[in-house]
Amino acid sequence: MYVAIFNIIQYDCPVVWLVEHLRDAKIIVTGANVAEISRGYEKIYVVLLGDDEVISKALDKIGSYNLVRSYEVIQKKKNFVKIQMNIDKTKTMETSVFLDATPLAPWIAKEGYERWTLGFHSKKQLNEFVSRVNEFDYIEKSIVEEIPDELVAEFSMNYLAALNLLTVELSKLTSKQLSLIRKALESGYYEWPRKINIVELSEELGVSRAAVTKLLRRAEKRIISSTLKYLSKTSV
């Protein structure tokens, strides 16, 4: 499967239009129901993140925008609101449905574009999607990798474990630990034989050997223990 991440500027998308007018808001499209796309509209589920003022402005704009047919607030918390919207179909969504592209992640809207993560069953399908989208919208950036279908399936089967690894376990690494372990990796500390030892690394950083050793050990322990925990959850 070809997995592609696109930053797409959609000229007919109300979500992209919203982030252009609400710079302080973060908007996530958590789902899309395209069953009625042949009738000219789609149902999307949108999460708005921001303070009360930003959310209030967003709801006013949604209610007045002509591409939004109707909307309903289905959940509201502090600095968070989830909305179900019926919107006019967008050309990019219609193209993805027509070409059987597989959505692999939520759509994230920011800074005037929407990030799409899609799976394609062939290079021809991927190229056709890119060609068609560029006829009416603009792909600002794209990253494409060919990943074996069984690995995509394995990730999907272990989605919760992977999510926990990335958002809970590894997020506990401090910025100092991340910076140090990145420096150590780039400098060849983990090569065999090592290109730099702990003394040389500490001298380059202007930090004591004891401090560097302590930070590295803690970072390494976090990464190793988190990885082993993930593997134990995916082995069933």
Side-chain angles (χ1 to χ4, degrees), residues 4-231:
I5 300 174
F6 301 106
N7 289 353
I8 306 176
I9 297 175
Q10 292 188 83
Y11 301 107
D12 59 351
C13 178
V15 177
V16 173
W17 177 83
L18 264 178
V19 294
E20 288 178 332
H21 291 80
L22 297 169
R23 295 291 180 178
D24 295 329
K26 183 175 182 181
I27 302 177
I28 305 169
V29 182
T30 56
N33 183 336
V34 295
E36 303 295 341
I37 204 164
S38 62
R39 297 173 61 185
Y41 73 95
E42 57 192 82
K43 182 186 294 184
I44 62 174
Y45 293 86
V46 174
V47 170
L48 289 170
L49 301 173
D51 58 31
D52 289 343
E53 183 180 357
V54 168
I55 288 175
S56 179
K57 286 181 180 178
L59 293 177
D60 287 342
K61 288 186 178 297
I62 289 170
S64 63
Y65 193 43
N66 61 348
L67 294 181
V68 178
R69 299 191 177 191
S70 62
Y71 79 93
E72 176 187 359
V73 175
I74 56 178
Q75 188 179 10
K76 190 171 184 179
K77 297 179 181 178
K78 184 178 180 180
N79 300 332
F80 167 99
V81 63
K82 181 179 284 188
I83 305 165
Q84 181 260 302
M85 299 165 58
N86 290 331
I87 65 172
D88 287 355
K89 67 180 181 182
T90 66
K91 292 185 176 68
T92 291
M93 180 63 82
E94 186 176 33
T95 301
S96 71
V97 172
F98 178 78
L99 293 175
D100 296 328
T102 304
L104 297 176
W107 298 261
I108 309 296
K110 58 185 294 186
E111 298 174 2
Y113 67 84
E114 201 167 50
R115 175 163 292 182
W116 291 47
T117 304
L118 298 173
F120 298 89
H121 302 291
S122 70
K123 191 68 173 292
K124 179 181 178 181
Q125 184 189 33
L126 165 64
N127 290 338
E128 188 171 355
F129 176 82
V130 171
S131 177
R132 289 192 180 208
V133 169
N134 278 326
E135 290 178 6
F136 40 77
D137 285 330
Y138 176 64
I139 297 177
E140 187 178 63
K141 182 181 178 181
S142 64
I143 301 172
V144 179
E145 287 194 25
E146 186 176 6
I147 298 176
D149 292 70
E150 60 269 26
L151 290 183
V152 177
E154 184 178 337
F155 177 81
S156 298
M157 290 169 60
N158 298 294
Y159 181 77
L160 288 178
L163 193 64
N164 183 71
L165 173 68
L166 295 174
T167 63
V168 177
E169 296 294 333
L170 294 183
S171 67
K172 292 177 182 176
L173 288 166
T174 67
S175 59
K176 283 186 178 180
Q177 289 173 333
L178 283 170
S179 179
L180 175 57
I181 207 161
R182 186 180 293 113
K183 174 67 175 177
L185 187 64
E186 292 172 350
S187 300
Y189 178 77
Y190 293 104
E191 299 293 330
W192 183 262
R194 282 178 171 161
K195 295 179 181 179
I196 189 171
N197 60 38
I198 197 72
V199 174
E200 293 167 331
L201 185 61
S202 63
E203 287 176 351
E204 277 195 20
L205 295 169
V207 181
S208 71
R209 175 182 173 180
V212 170
T213 302
K214 184 177 179 181
L215 279 169
L216 268 183
R217 287 281 178 87
R218 286 184 173 178
E220 290 165 354
K221 181 181 178 182
R222 168 61 59 187
I223 292 169
I224 293 169
S225 63
S226 298
T227 302
L228 290 176
K229 187 183 292 185
Y230 168 76
L231 292 175

